[in-house]
Amino acid sequence: MAVPKKERYEGSELYRIRHSTAHVMAQAVMEMFPVEAKIAIGPPIENGFYYDFDLPRPLTPEDLEAIERRMREIIAGNHHFERRDLSANEALKIFTDQPYKIELIEGLEQGGMDEYGEPIEGLPEISIYTHDDFSDLCRGPHVERTSQINPDAMKLLNVAGAYWRGDERRPMLQRIYGTAWKTVDELEQHLWRLEEARKRDHRRLGKELDLFSVSEAVGPGLIHWHPKGGMVRKIVEDYCREQHLKGGYEFVYSPHIGKAQLWETSGHLDWYQEGMFAPLDIEGQQYYLKPMNCPFHMEIFKSRTRSYRDLPLRFAEWGTVYRYERSGVLHGLLRVRGFTQDDAHLFCRPDQMPEEIDRVLEFSLHILRAFGFEDFQAYLSTRNPDKAIGTAEEWEAPTEALRMALDRVKIPYQVDEGEATFYGPKIDLKLRDALSREWQLTTIQFDFTLPERFDLSYVGKDGQEHRPYVIHRALVGSMERFMGVLIEHYAGAFPVWLSPVQVVLIPIADRHIEYANSVAERLKEADLRVEIDTRSERMNAKIRDAQLQKIPYMLVVGDREVEANAVAVRLRSEENLGAMPVEKFLERTRVDIEARR
Ligand SMILES: [Zn+2]
Ligand SMILES: [Zn+2]
């Protein structure tokens, strides 16, 4: 069921409200530091806006309150937002003492970027928007008057450091984040989600639950999995590997580096070099760390003659790739410099292609559902005639197959006309987590270039050579990012089957340790992951710690339990199930694990 393309955020009223609120905030900050404040950029973002300032001192929470108060006064002034188009020279005169604006105007003049310094095509118009006595370099759009901003539905949230133009060699600015909504109710809901997201932040939980870390000694954006996080990741990978085998995939392994020539053949050095680390010199040859696994899988395909009977071939690899990201944009597990893709490349004949697409889409949904996700939204990107390789006719069958597969799996999707990359149409699959945040995970991407570039072929029924279709598929995408999504989705309280420690035994006194050990042995025989808390803490302290560690089951054992050969079961939700025989407890865990609860 195709749903019409959502009204683009840029065209929405909320966008105009937030953009206008950002201008009002900038005015209030300028008034606070009339001489010293230098303003940078202030765009609307998802759920809010920000503005970057160069200020003589760090802002305090009291400052934010004062700025917010002044914003309410400005809003009450019911000022008109007025647009004026002007030449670069005129604009430079207006912003004479604003070095960041001057840099942006000069950039606008040369073309290729917008007023936020973001790349765009062609030469932009230069315009300013003025309300009250504040003017900003801006192409809009805005609300007509400040009174269209609801003063009780906006709030300044926090201040963070941000490098000018995201470049760590440029000055560090102060970024004020704010949010604005149409109603107080919407604002309150948003603030609740933010608070909940803060509690669930995977970086914080990663530390508290001892799942992973990043070490300065190793380098930013490079993740270490600790035993507990490593256990969760192993379970995720084991489950996925098993499903891949059932799904007709074969596993391959490929090296982490490859010769420059390989990346020339694949085209990565033409269009992806910015994302690649500098080459290594090995005996006078240049080698690159792999940013993608594709060229290796193409080489494996090419390593022998393939017959039409061999197809489809589905090569899967948990391949660790390295991509250059500026240190300023790195973020926990979500944006890193080294990550493992659950990558696959599908090679098929044209007549197999529609079924192959159906399969891979259903397979992807099946796996994501197993991890507890239910709410999906797909995006189909189609050919952009201006930059696509291949003819419209060549694109038609694959695009149609993607569309029909989406219709069959009955998830909502949106067609992004002309949004495909130059080398083929694709489906992006996003899911919503427990806080209804959207995460892009799966990509199913046709590629018309690689079969040509690597001169792939199979021998058809007719004895002639034919080109196979190649489809890239990353399912959860990056293992690191997916783990981050899982941690936040479950707030660290993983379902029993994913929990690194499933059961903790809590002996009440030292004399119960021996019994606790014997119970632990029985549980381990049943493949449960068990710990015993033998510290000489009080029972309640041990229970509280286990709850903080989000361990699903706490089994308290004291004199009565030893006597009755039982365990007193408590859940991390604080529910107390009371005493039960060990066998009965085992039965319960079996049910929970099978249901992936
Ligand atoms: Zn603006
Ligand atoms: Zn690929």
Side-chain angles (χ1 to χ4, degrees):
M1 60 203 129
V3 292
K5 183 160 179 152
K6 267 189 261 167
E7 188 193 14
R8 283 179 73 98
Y9 180 42
E10 285 81 6
S12 71
E13 191 188 347
L14 264 182
Y15 184 92
R16 291 195 298 277
I17 288 174
R18 288 169 184 159
H19 192 174
S20 304
T21 315
H23 279 218
V24 170
M25 176 172 79
Q27 178 186 355
V29 173
M30 291 287 281
E31 288 175 3
M32 192 177 250
F33 305 95
V35 187
E36 305 105 315
K38 305 294 174 222
I39 54 174
I41 56 165
I45 50 173
E46 196 188 357
N47 298 321
F49 60 87
Y50 68 78
Y51 213 113
D52 289 347
F53 303 95
D54 194 342
L55 301 174
R57 63 168 175 82
L59 290 168
T60 64
E62 291 72 36
D63 290 330
L64 287 195
E65 280 169 31
I67 293 166
E68 223 179 85
R69 267 196 307 278
R70 177 62 189 134
M71 286 170 71
R72 295 209 166 83
E73 288 169 16
I74 297 168
I75 290 168
N78 198 16
H79 305 289
H80 195 235
F81 280 94
E82 228 163 308
R83 180 192 170 109
R84 204 172 110 209
D85 294 289
L86 68 191
S87 69
N89 267 339
E90 287 172 291
L92 286 170
K93 264 178 223 145
I94 293 172
F95 296 103
T96 42
D97 50 358
Q98 289 294 337
Y100 301 104
K101 293 293 176 193
I102 290 172
E103 188 176 325
L104 290 172
I105 294 164
E106 285 165 353
L108 284 170
E109 210 180 3
Q110 286 154 18
M113 59 170 257
D114 68 8
E115 81 272 26
Y116 302 132
E118 297 292 326
I120 53 160
E121 271 168 36
L123 216 54
E125 299 161 357
I126 299 181
S127 56
I128 59 166
Y129 267 82
T130 304
H131 73 274
D132 199 8
D133 61 1
F134 178 82
S135 294
D136 201 355
L137 182 69
C138 181
R139 74 187 142 156
H142 283 280
V143 295
E144 286 112 57
R145 314 194 72 92
T146 53
S147 59
Q148 284 161 268
I149 301 168
N150 181 345
D152 300 319
M154 64 98 184
K155 189 168 174 51
L156 302 188
L157 299 171
N158 62 304
V159 185
Y163 290 107
W164 168 234
R165 312 191 82 163
D167 185 341
E168 56 284 350
R169 291 161 301 188
R170 310 292 307 271
M172 169 77 91
L173 307 174
Q174 296 191 66
R175 173 170 297 176
I176 307 181
Y177 283 101
T179 188
W181 300 81
K182 289 184 206 170
T183 67
V184 177
D185 207 40
E186 285 170 346
L187 171 68
E188 274 169 7
Q189 280 177 33
H190 177 65
L191 295 178
W192 176 83
R193 280 196 304 269
L194 281 183
E195 174 58 19
E196 199 50 38
R198 199 185 57 77
K199 284 192 222 152
R200 289 165 182 252
D201 189 319
H202 70 278
R203 293 167 299 178
R204 168 187 177 146
L205 285 170
K207 204 174 282 169
E208 286 172 11
L209 304 178
D210 195 15
L211 301 173
F212 70 92
S213 65
V214 179
S215 149
E216 263 312 309
V218 175
L222 301 168
I223 307 298
H224 300 80
W225 291 101
H226 297 196
K228 282 181 183 155
M231 178 55 81
V232 182
R233 177 165 166 172
K234 177 196 178 295
I235 299 160
V236 171
E237 287 189 8
D238 285 353
Y239 172 78
C240 290
R241 281 209 166 85
E242 190 188 300
Q243 296 301 311
H244 275 73
L245 280 179
K246 286 185 188 162
Y249 290 77
E250 296 173 289
F251 294 115
V252 297
Y253 292 84
S254 61
H256 285 224
I257 60 173
K259 288 201 299 205
Q261 180 66 49
L262 178 74
W263 306 105
E264 266 159 34
T265 304
S266 69
H268 285 92
L269 283 179
D270 286 339
W271 62 274
Y272 200 72
Q273 197 166 14
E274 272 182 19
M276 296 166 74
F277 286 101
L280 316 162
D281 186 299
I282 301 175
E283 295 175 347
Q285 289 261 20
Q286 291 202 325
Y287 283 74
Y288 283 90
L289 272 171
K290 65 174 169 184
M292 299 188 194
N293 304 297
C294 332
F296 302 94
H297 294 195
M298 302 304 124
E299 286 295 319
I300 296 170
F301 183 92
K302 263 187 83 162
S303 64
R304 51 187 299 163
T305 309
R306 306 288 180 180
S307 142
Y308 69 95
R309 282 192 221 91
D310 301 332
L311 302 181
L313 282 171
R314 308 182 188 98
F315 294 161
E317 175 175 13
W318 269 252
T320 302
V321 296
Y322 297 90
R323 297 184 184 175
Y324 172 66
E325 298 266 16
R326 285 174 163 180
S327 51
V329 301
L330 297 172
H331 181 91
L333 296 173
L334 305 182
R335 204 107 176 235
V336 292
R337 285 179 172 167
F339 62 92
T340 303
Q341 262 188 328
D342 62 337
D343 209 357
H345 291 91
L346 316 174
F347 303 84
C348 69
R349 307 189 304 255
D351 63 292
Q352 295 169 320
M353 189 267 293
E355 194 195 323
E356 207 47 35
I357 297 294
D358 273 351
R359 276 181 77 118
V360 67
L361 185 57
E362 259 168 46
F363 184 75
S364 305
L365 289 166
H366 161 71
I367 300 250
L368 295 173
R369 285 181 177 128
F371 290 105
F373 299 105
E374 283 301 330
D375 191 353
F376 302 103
Q377 165 84 35
Y379 298 79
L380 169 62
S381 303
T382 64
R383 183 169 183 269
N384 177 344
D386 294 335
K387 55 177 192 185
I389 65 138
T391 63
E393 205 185 346
E394 285 167 325
W395 281 61
E396 197 182 300
T399 309
E400 240 358 80
L402 292 172
R403 194 191 307 269
M404 282 162 65
L406 283 170
D407 280 329
R408 268 191 286 268
V409 294
K410 297 193 169 35
I411 55 169
Y413 70 93
Q414 163 181 318
V415 180
D416 290 339
E417 299 285 352
E419 300 274 304
T421 41
F422 67 92
Y423 52 86
K426 66 165 175 176
I427 290 175
D428 287 316
L429 208 53
K430 296 190 182 177
L431 55 83
R432 281 186 186 281
D433 71 2
L435 292 185
S436 28
R437 292 172 302 179
E438 214 174 44
W439 301 93
Q440 149 80 57
L441 296 180
T442 308
T443 304
I444 299 166
Q445 167 81 60
F446 267 90
D447 194 325
F448 300 137
T449 66
L450 283 189
E452 298 282 335
R453 284 177 167 274
F454 282 87
D455 194 21
L456 304 186
S457 65
Y458 64 91
V459 181
K461 238 181 203 155
D462 55 4
Q464 304 293 309
E465 293 202 340
H466 299 270
R467 281 247 190 274
Y469 275 122
V470 167
I471 301 156
H472 309 262
R473 184 235 63 181
L475 206 166
V476 305
S478 142
M479 286 303 297
E480 278 70 13
R481 192 159 168 280
F482 185 60
M483 292 286 288
V485 174
L486 280 178
I487 294 168
E488 298 205 359
H489 178 63
Y490 287 113
F494 298 110
V496 182
W497 74 292
L498 288 176
S499 289
V501 179
Q502 296 167 312
V503 182
V504 61
L505 277 148
I506 301 177
I508 293 177
D510 283 355
R511 64 179 181 279
H512 307 122
I513 290 179
E514 199 189 318
Y515 174 70
N517 274 321
S518 73
V519 174
E521 284 315 310
R522 282 169 75 186
L523 302 183
K524 284 179 189 165
E525 269 167 39
D527 286 332
L528 289 176
R529 295 182 288 277
V530 186
E531 274 182 1
I532 308 178
D533 189 344
T534 54
R535 295 174 303 161
S536 48
E537 299 282 336
R538 297 177 58 86
M539 180 188 82
N540 282 337
K542 292 183 184 180
I543 289 174
R544 199 181 47 242
D545 286 347
Q547 269 161 355
L548 287 174
Q549 286 300 304
K550 322 238 175 188
I551 299 172
Y553 304 108
M554 287 148 248
L555 306 185
V556 180
V557 293
D559 290 337
R560 261 180 297 169
E561 285 74 25
V562 174
E563 184 103 347
N565 199 14
V567 288
V569 182
R570 285 166 183 262
L571 306 182
R572 59 188 163 193
S573 58
E574 294 184 17
E575 208 177 330
N576 187 347
L577 303 183
M580 62 175 80
V582 178
E583 282 314 313
K584 196 173 162 211
F585 171 71
L586 276 173
E587 183 49 38
R588 187 196 158 104
T589 59
R590 252 195 300 277
V591 172
D592 279 351
I593 287 169
E594 269 161 33
R596 296 205 187 81
R597 280 200 290 256

